[in-house]
Amino acid sequence: MSSHLESLVDLSAVDLGRKLRSKEVSCQEVTTAFLDRINAHDAKIGSFLALNQEECMSATKEAQQLIDSGEGGALCGVPIAVKDNISTKGLETTCASKILKGYIPPFDATVIKAVRRSGMPILGKTNMDEFAMGASTETSAYKIAHNPWDLERSPGGSSGGSAASVAARLAPISLGSDTGGSIRQPASLCGTVGFKPTYGRCSRYGLVAFASSLDQIGPFGRSVEDVAELAQVVTGYDPMDCTSRELGPISTKDLKNGSLKGTKVGIIKETLGEGTDGSVKSVFESAVSLLSQAGAQIEEVSIPSLNYGVTTYYIIAPAEASSNLARFDGIRYGPRSEGSGHVHMVEKTRAEGFGKEVKTRIMIGTYALSAGYYDAFYVRAQTVRAKMTQELNQAFSGFDVLISPTSPIPSFKLGSLMDDPLALKVLDFCTIPANMAGIPGISLNCGFTSGLPVGMQILAPQCQDEKLLQMAYCFEQTLPTILAWPDLG
Amino acid sequence: MASYLASVGMEVHAELSTNSKMFCRCPVAFGGEPNTRVCPICLGLPGTLPKPNKAAVIAVLRTALALNCKIAMHSIFHRKNYFYPDLPKGYQVSQYEETNPIGYHGYLDVPMQDGTLHRVRIRRVHLEEDTGKLIHLPGGGSGVDYNRAGVPLMEVVTDFPPDITNPEQAKEYLATLRQILIYLGVCDGKMEEGSLRCEPNISVRKETDEKLGNKTELKNLNSFKSVSLGVAFEVRRQIATIEAGERVVQETRGWNEAKEASYSMRIKEAENDYRYFPDPDLVPMEFEEAFIEELRASLPELPHVKRERYQSSLGLSPYDAGVLTSEKELAAYFEETVAMGGDPKLVCNWMTGELAKLLNESGQSITETKIRPSHILDLLKLLSSGSINGKTAKSVFAESFQSGRLPSDLVAESGATQISDSGAIDAAVQKVLGAHPDIVAKYKSGQTNVIGFLVGQVMKETQGRANPPMVQQAVKSALET
């Protein structure tokens, strides 16, 4: 292979799109470059559960036609990796669970329709924690994913495969889903940008539900601009999702028109407490001083109810999950275990099909919704959620954006936290509030500690996704840039 | 034996006659090959989301208003979680009874056979989705047909403690409710097809007891007859159980139509825990006062109001008013005929008499028959002008029923118009008197009742077309001259 083609994988998605439109490269060359790289290196990373080689190549032809006819958009012809909980017509969608082994959706998720319309070939489906329940991609029923920066470490989760594939340059861009931090946390651990839009700006139709009131699909990329362009493709009102907001797609028109000068930035005090690693704090604080030098007005702000975020999340999310996952009974799709009578059959199918973490959460959620416990758990959790939303909104009255470290720790050794479920769950401390309040959040790299990326999270008020991306773009210009992505040998 | 009181709570499920299902656009229809009216949404495929059917919400609002309910201006869907193969999502989208059903605190005045009204309070009217159906396969094993899954289902539940205390009230309540649903056009009311399903909760207690006894829920009641038979059976069975010194077991029982007996289906030891919680995939329904008032104003005239009006302003008997309002189409037919100028009483007589008889014999319905209001009017005109007599009218009407042609056309064609020409009548009279001298002699000897025979003979001579009062008069005067 020529070095010209090898270097394609180094380009950002937007640059690839530009080269495609100027006919410097063809769609086929671009997609082939990434497929070849996946075939050569993904065994080390484990970011893909399934590849879509054939269909992907035929999609490149359609993309090329769009480009040739002058109708290709910014990302036309740019291949994409998709988290395995997003329904893809004709392509196995398992949520990294045995209970959906062999399940091929007969329809496309709304975001997938948009991706296909834009001429983005789908490389394959990415690894994840089973049903998005986890923060390390270790609960995947199929394989473990590795962090490209250190193969002995986790890429984070649950969208670990989507983050790792972008960091490893196996895909220029990808889609993940975020219920409590599942886009932002792995983005942070892998050094990529990861964006969770405002709840309702991106249709959930076709996203296999984990916790319906918290789930949101969003993009990963190696730059804010890449992520913003993909956000523009996949967002917008969808009549198939009645929780979808009646707003147009997220616009990238003013992405580069922002300035840090005079921007009011609030550092969320609670996220820099004892739970946050000293190394993360120091990288974060150096980044903050760079922002300050660039003219941002930075102050601390306290949001006391955030201390209840993890507890609240672990009531609401499992409660909704216990109901959302009830449909996996082996009757209409997926593997079915033999049993005597339907009750036994369903019990066995679920006992054999779900992994331990999923079962644990189903049990927690079932308990939280049970008569006699509902008020004490579910109703109270919703009350705290409302309080948290209110406190966040109040904080935004004094600040344009709020910032925090994305994850309290950098990437951790695989297996090191699996026996300590609580430690793993506390990793979502900084990211959960955005899901609770339905506000947009983004994570971008703000430096390294011992060779591991550290992410900064930026939060904005509901529906100010454009403003958030604009700020993130300014931050990106100010913060240190990743010059060399991991070399996979 | 002690004296017992029965209490019957009624839970009625009505499939709404919407074009499409509750949360997807699959068509709603009865029967069909299994799993031919399904899509990813009503099959509950992973990642699908519900999209509420506004027509179904409006149907429930209209029903709630017709049942004098209060309307929850903020109403939410809950998930009712349980596992069953006919339930595609592992939960049913429903409304939790304690909070925000679309309609609540209403009542229905049920007309009883003795002419009195019996008020039954309504606890709630809510909206949910139907389940699929289990099918036992001929070769063994079971299959599931999801054609019915997701069809909008309205639940109407009576209040507690129950106002219904006997089988007749139960049956009349259901009949009255069904009639209203059909009038509103929200449900076809077909019990045999399962689009209207009734599950009474029955308990008995000694007259001296305050507290209601253990209740049983009765399922598989497919007709009005089975509702009254089933309730009566359960009341008898429960009384016999108590009289035998045993306890009534709280359970769900099925109704065996052939044996006319109930049987135990499953014991309800405790209330199932359905883990209700607000469905996060659906947004709350917010209704505006003005919209509700608009719906209220656009409700059709309901059967009881119609019945009252037919009596008070059209002068019909309570019985006739009841018959004409028993079906929406019958009332519409009647009103159309009257609006076109028909005398209400005469129209009613023809509808409830000859037309009802012919419909009954032919198995046709009022919407199918070729006799339209214009036919009735045409016939009434022929009668009032004296062109035909009552007897001819019946035969012409029967012919019209068969062919669909106007009675006046038939009469003109056959020359069957009434003979009111005195010359023609006199000629016939003379002929008959000449043919029956013996009878004439009898009359003259004082046996005046033989005149009937002579009149009959004259009618026969004129093929029944002679004007009967004129014949009567002509025979009499001929005999007495």
Side-chain angles (χ1 to χ4, degrees), chain B residues 126-419:
Chain B
H126 82 217
L127 182 54
E128 58 190 30
E129 54 178 347
D130 211 345
T131 61
K133 244 184 196 168
L134 280 192
I135 298 169
H136 297 287
L137 302 174
S142 299
V144 198
D145 176 7
Y146 293 104
N147 281 349
R148 208 183 66 181
V151 166
L153 199 60
M154 177 170 62
E155 188 177 276
V156 180
V157 183
T158 57
D159 215 340
F160 191 85
D163 296 322
I164 295 172
T165 55
N166 63 51
E168 192 211 345
Q169 287 173 352
K171 188 184 123 201
E172 294 303 330
Y173 165 77
L174 185 62
T176 309
L177 177 60
R178 176 178 178 273
Q179 200 183 40
I180 288 177
L181 299 182
I182 294 172
Y183 261 71
L184 292 171
V186 299
C187 173
D188 66 19
K190 291 178 181 165
M191 292 187 76
E192 65 288 358
E193 290 182 4
S195 49
L196 190 71
R197 309 197 279 270
C198 168
E199 281 149 21
N201 280 286
I202 304 145
S203 69
V204 302
R205 69 180 198 275
K206 286 188 177 140
E207 208 171 23
T208 49
D209 287 349
E210 281 284 306
K211 206 171 153 260
L212 296 190
N214 280 350
K215 65 182 179 187
T216 56
E217 184 175 318
L218 203 50
K219 284 187 185 288
N220 305 343
L221 299 169
N222 299 324
S223 64
F224 287 109
K225 195 179 141 209
S226 57
V227 170
S228 56
L229 285 176
V231 172
F233 178 89
E234 264 310 288
V235 170
R236 282 199 308 277
R237 189 191 65 82
Q238 291 184 13
I239 291 173
T241 305
I242 296 168
E243 285 291 303
E246 289 166 33
R247 266 180 86 242
V248 171
V249 179
Q250 188 126 326
E251 63 182 344
T252 299
R253 296 178 70 87
W255 178 245
N256 185 322
E257 188 124 28
K259 290 186 183 162
E260 294 193 354
S262 71
Y263 59 92
S264 177
M265 282 173 93
R266 57 174 183 262
I267 311 272
K268 270 192 179 175
E269 281 164 358
E271 283 295 303
N272 283 328
D273 185 354
Y274 291 116
R275 290 172 281 120
Y276 282 97
F277 76 108
D279 192 330
D281 286 331
L282 291 159
V283 290
M285 296 176 275
E286 310 281 351
F287 306 120
E288 281 174 23
E289 194 71 48
F291 175 67
I292 298 300
E293 287 318 309
E294 209 175 287
L295 282 184
R296 194 194 302 276
S298 68
L299 287 182
E301 187 180 33
L302 293 172
H304 69 277
V305 180
K306 237 183 227 313
R307 217 158 37 231
E308 186 51 44
R309 180 167 64 85
Y310 285 7
Q311 293 172 55
S312 60
S313 38
L314 301 179
L316 301 189
S317 71
Y319 176 80
D320 283 342
V323 172
L324 290 178
T325 54
S326 65
E327 285 176 42
K328 186 185 177 185
E329 289 79 12
L330 214 53
Y333 189 103
F334 170 72
E335 289 182 22
E336 190 183 338
T337 318
V338 171
M340 286 163 74
D343 175 78
K345 275 188 188 167
L346 293 176
V347 173
C348 171
N349 288 346
W350 279 91
M351 281 183 67
T352 57
E354 286 306 292
L355 184 57
K357 191 185 95 193
L358 291 167
L359 288 175
N360 199 21
E361 284 166 6
S362 66
Q364 287 177 21
S365 76
I366 191 76
T367 51
E368 291 162 340
T369 174
K370 292 173 183 164
I371 295 284
R372 304 318 313 155
S374 52
H375 291 77
I376 306 247
L377 283 176
D378 187 58
L379 188 78
L380 291 180
K381 243 176 237 163
L382 290 174
L383 277 167
S384 64
S385 67
S387 303
I388 57 171
N389 60 35
K391 196 177 165 211
T392 308
K394 281 185 186 175
S395 63
V396 168
F397 192 70
E399 217 180 313
S400 195
F401 185 86
Q402 292 303 327
S403 66
R405 301 188 56 201
L406 277 177
S408 54
D409 290 347
L410 293 170
V411 166
E413 222 163 79
S414 67
T417 43
Q418 185 162 270
I419 300 167

Side-chain angles (χ1 to χ4, degrees), chain B residues 67-81:
Chain B
L67 296 176
N68 309 294
C69 285
K70 291 181 180 156
I71 302 294
M73 304 312 268
H74 172 97
S75 186
I76 48 181
F77 286 110
H78 276 72
R79 289 186 185 176
K80 179 180 180 179
N81 295 284

Side-chain angles (χ1 to χ4, degrees), chain A residues 204 206 212 323-324 327 332 371, chain B residues 44 47 79 81 88 91 146 273 281:
Chain A
R204 290 186 297 117
S212 312
S323 174
N324 282 332
R327 68 187 64 196
R332 289 159 302 278
Chain B
R79 289 186 185 176
N81 295 284
Y91 59 83
Y146 293 104
D273 185 354
D281 286 331

Side-chain angles (χ1 to χ4, degrees), chain A residues 216-257:
Chain A
Q216 195 64 192
I217 293 174
F220 285 92
R222 291 195 299 276
S223 73
V224 172
E225 193 181 6
D226 283 4
V227 158
E229 288 296 345
L230 183 53
Q232 183 167 39
V233 169
V234 296
T235 55
Y237 173 65
D238 178 12
M240 299 295 280
D241 173 2
C242 53
T243 62
S244 156
R245 284 185 180 260
E246 293 190 39
L247 293 172
I250 290 172
S251 165
T252 56
K253 187 166 59 75
D254 294 321
L255 181 70
K256 298 179 183 174
N257 297 340

Side-chain angles (χ1 to χ4, degrees), chain A residues 87 103 106-107 204-208 212-213 239-243 320 323-324 326-328 331-333 342 350 366 369-371 374 378, chain B residues 40-41 43-52 79 81 83-85 87-91 144 146 273 275-278 280-283:
Chain A
S87 303
Y103 168 67
F107 67 98
R204 290 186 297 117
Y205 191 82
L207 170 68
V208 182
S212 312
S213 73
M240 299 295 280
D241 173 2
C242 53
T243 62
E320 292 181 12
S323 174
N324 282 332
R327 68 187 64 196
F328 303 106
I331 289 171
R332 289 159 302 278
Y333 44 79
H342 83 263
R350 291 169 66 82
T366 304
L369 290 178
S370 295
Y374 180 78
Y378 189 77
Chain B
I41 296 175
L43 285 177
L45 291 193
T48 54
L49 293 172
K51 189 184 167 190
R79 289 186 185 176
N81 295 284
F83 288 99
Y84 205 68
L87 192 65
K89 299 187 291 290
Y91 59 83
V144 198
Y146 293 104
D273 185 354
R275 290 172 281 120
Y276 282 97
F277 76 108
D281 286 331
L282 291 159
V283 290

